[in-house]
Amino acid sequence: MKKQAQFALVDVNNFYVSCERVFKPQLENKAVVVLSNNDGCAVARSAEVKALGIKTGMPWFKMKDIAKKHQIEAYSSNYTLYGDMSNRVVSILRDFSPDMEVYSIDESFLRIDSVAQLYGGPTTMGHEMITRIKEWTGLPVCVGIGSTKTLAKFANHLAKKMPVFNSVCDFSNLPKQEQLHWMSEMGVGEIWGVGGQTTKKLNAMNIHTVLDLKQASPQFIRAQLGVVMERTCNELNGISCLELEDVAPAKQQILASRSFGKPILSLENLGEAVATHIARASEKLRHQQSIAGAIHVFIRTSPFKDNQYSQGITISLKEATDDLLTLTNEAIAGLKLIYKPGYQYKKAGIMLSLLSEKSTRQQSLFDDVEARGKSSELMSVLDSINHRFGKEAIRSGASGNRRTGKDWAMRSDNRSPNYTTQWDELPIAS
């Protein structure tokens, strides 16, 4: 008899806020908010901030009075720190199960049906994960367990919101009536993969709760909303339709963009920003062993100013490539065609598209194989050095002089140190 699948979803609580608290214990039980790029709006909130009614996406300038009144601590996003802490959690989880999917920076799915009994069962295993992650990283997590990925996600929600589960909910082990009770308590819009528009359509079909969706006919759901929602319906009934993705699929487009810390007027500064975005995007391109056949470059002013300008251009490459210098030259050439003097630019970005696998590149009669080989070696050395010594240890001259600063750099007035990745920013015990 085939053993029933068991999935665990491990989710770090208030991930960005929790990362800040690890190195500043005095922030425990205090109101903390983490802000987006350029300290624009709230992207992470502690439970204390949520209790004040502050929503995700609320602009910082609108909450300053509330922050002062309630002594909210605000921090700029530190993605270097968050990324490293995420990698540490993932490394710990791989010790528990070899079958794993890193779903997002703070969430991972594990297949545990073949290993749970080594820990005395799924619930005991979940508590062991929580203990080890807390001891080794300082981060708090919750664990949801179910016979499908959707049920594991649902169970994680219960583990996080309902104290009765003590941070671990094995949904499959709950009595049938209790399962139905919890499903009837949650709105269908809270289920994994059900967005706002789909929620409205389901409500119009008199499907308001998770239980309603579970009890609906999968064939009817497919006829009305397609195969994806049919799978969700089946997963809620314990029929596993979504397997773990051991390797994330290669991206079909790679986007790099960022708002500026202050308005930019000159073509030179815009060029530095575009070149920096190309460097980051091309590194990701090479990491997934792809090449790009086109580049889209765009610039825009602030949408809140009267004198507005927004323009973009797509450049088709003569030959698909992952070469930083070629991509930079093409992007800068495109930027020059859309740039207009006299505007205060607030954002620039690029998108690499028409991606294909590097190993299946189609050669032509006029290919310069020697030049391509030299380019590949150069990019390999470039990535190796930057991986070892840090981002932008080596970069193209078009991206500007790091020592003199960059007028277009992102504002992060209250960023925490990179405690885990920079020698000169290591935490000091006192």
Side-chain angles (χ1 to χ4, degrees):
M1 183 176 179
K2 187 178 180 181
K3 195 171 185 178
Q4 186 181 38
Q6 282 184 312
F7 297 90
L9 176 63
V10 183
D11 180 18
V12 183
N13 302 338
N14 297 323
F15 180 59
Y16 292 174
V17 170
S18 293
C19 287
E20 300 290 348
R21 283 175 166 170
V22 166
F23 301 97
K24 301 183 186 72
Q26 66 271 22
L27 296 179
E28 287 292 339
N29 301 316
K30 290 189 176 181
V32 181
V33 65
V34 175
L35 304 174
S36 64
N37 293 338
N38 289 306
D39 296 342
C41 60
V43 293
R45 305 157 296 148
S46 67
E48 296 78 11
V49 172
K50 294 175 184 177
L52 296 173
I54 293 175
K55 304 295 184 182
T56 298
M58 185 175 184
W60 172 238
F61 74 88
K62 287 187 177 181
M63 70 174 86
K64 279 189 175 180
D65 290 340
I66 303 175
K68 186 175 181 180
K69 179 180 179 181
H70 296 280
Q71 297 182 318
I72 297 175
E73 297 271 0
Y75 289 87
S76 305
S77 297
N78 185 343
Y79 297 116
T80 301
L81 173 64
Y82 307 151
D84 185 68
M85 294 296 283
S86 174
N87 291 337
R88 291 168 187 249
V89 172
V90 168
S91 178
I92 293 170
L93 291 176
R94 290 198 190 281
D95 288 339
F96 284 91
S97 174
D99 299 322
M100 181 176 172
E101 173 190 342
V102 180
Y103 179 65
S104 67
I105 194 170
D106 61 344
E107 294 178 288
S108 293
F109 284 103
L110 291 85
R111 182 79 182 260
I112 64 171
D113 42 276
S114 62
V115 296
Q117 293 309 313
L118 298 176
Y119 299 89
T123 300
T124 307
M125 182 181 183
H127 284 295
E128 176 64 24
M129 291 177 185
I130 290 173
T131 300
R132 193 179 301 182
I133 291 171
K134 183 66 174 178
E135 289 180 350
W136 291 14
T137 69
L139 295 171
V141 304
C142 285
V143 182
I145 300 166
S147 57
T148 68
K149 290 172 71 175
T150 302
L151 286 175
K153 185 83 168 175
F154 176 71
N156 185 275
H157 178 87
L158 296 178
K160 185 176 294 187
K161 300 293 184 183
M162 305 300 171
V164 67
F165 292 108
N166 193 25
S167 299
V168 178
C169 174
D170 180 2
F171 194 75
S172 301
N173 201 38
L174 296 179
K176 187 70 173 180
Q177 284 304 117
E178 190 173 349
Q179 291 182 6
L180 299 179
H181 164 74
W182 290 117
M183 285 184 161
S184 68
E185 291 291 311
M186 184 188 290
V188 70
E190 295 294 327
I191 208 67
W192 184 36
V194 179
Q197 292 301 316
T198 302
T199 299
K200 291 179 181 178
K201 293 177 182 178
L202 288 168
N203 290 166
M205 296 156 55
N206 204 30
I207 296 175
H208 301 279
T209 68
V210 176
L211 182 59
D212 292 336
L213 182 57
K214 170 186 168 63
Q215 294 176 337
S217 163
Q219 293 78 16
F220 173 74
I221 293 297
R222 177 170 184 165
Q224 299 298 317
L225 297 171
V227 67
V228 173
M229 282 307 302
E230 179 193 24
R231 289 173 184 162
T232 299
C233 186
N234 282 328
E235 288 242 328
L236 290 174
N237 283 284
I239 303 171
S240 182
C241 303
L242 304 172
E243 294 296 326
L244 294 183
E245 293 184 5
D246 298 323
V247 179
K251 294 180 179 179
Q252 298 304 304
Q253 296 176 329
I254 297 178
L255 175 69
S257 68
R258 189 161 290 175
S259 297
F260 305 138
K262 60 181 181 181
I264 293 302
L265 288 134
S266 73
L267 175 62
E268 180 184 1
N269 283 334
L270 281 175
E272 290 180 1
V274 166
T276 300
H277 294 326
I278 282 288
R280 292 170 181 163
S282 66
E283 183 179 2
K284 294 178 182 179
L285 184 72
R286 293 188 294 275
H287 180 72
Q288 70 175 37
Q289 298 294 309
S290 297
I291 49 179
I295 310 171
H296 182 75
V297 182
F298 63 90
I299 52 176
R300 76 178 192 199
T301 58
S302 171
F304 305 107
K305 301 291 185 180
D306 292 333
N307 192 24
Q308 295 184 21
Y309 176 71
S310 178
Q311 189 59 269
I313 186 172
T314 300
I315 305 104
S316 295
L317 304 177
K318 295 179 180 178
E319 180 181 326
T321 184
D322 62 2
D323 184 272
L324 169 63
L325 302 180
T326 300
L327 293 170
T328 300
N329 289 335
E330 295 289 349
I332 296 298
L335 172 66
K336 291 177 179 178
L337 294 175
I338 60 175
Y339 170 76
K340 281 188 177 182
Y343 289 95
Q344 295 186 340
Y345 293 96
K346 186 62 178 175
K347 188 173 186 178
I350 64 94
M351 183 173 67
L352 303 180
S353 59
L354 298 182
L355 306 191
S356 58
E357 292 184 23
K358 186 175 182 178
S359 60
T360 60
R361 180 189 343 224
Q362 183 69 42
Q363 294 187 350
S364 69
L365 180 63
F366 302 103
D367 273 348
D368 189 338
V369 177
E370 182 179 357
R372 183 183 293 170
K374 290 181 178 179
S375 167
S376 183
E377 291 177 4
L378 176 61
M379 293 302 104
S380 178
V381 171
L382 173 72
D383 292 337
S384 177
I385 292 175
N386 285 336
H387 177 74
R388 181 175 179 181
F389 295 103
K391 291 181 178 180
E392 296 189 346
I394 292 183
R395 63 197 186 283
S396 69
S399 62
N401 190 331
R402 183 173 57 184
R403 292 184 179 179
T404 60
K406 298 172 181 176
D407 292 336
W408 51 268
M410 181 181 69
R411 187 174 72 247
S412 54
D413 297 333
N414 199 19
R415 181 185 66 80
S416 296
N418 292 317
Y419 296 108
T420 61
T421 56
Q422 295 290 336
W423 286 108
D424 57 348
E425 297 183 23
L426 289 175
I428 299 174
S430 58

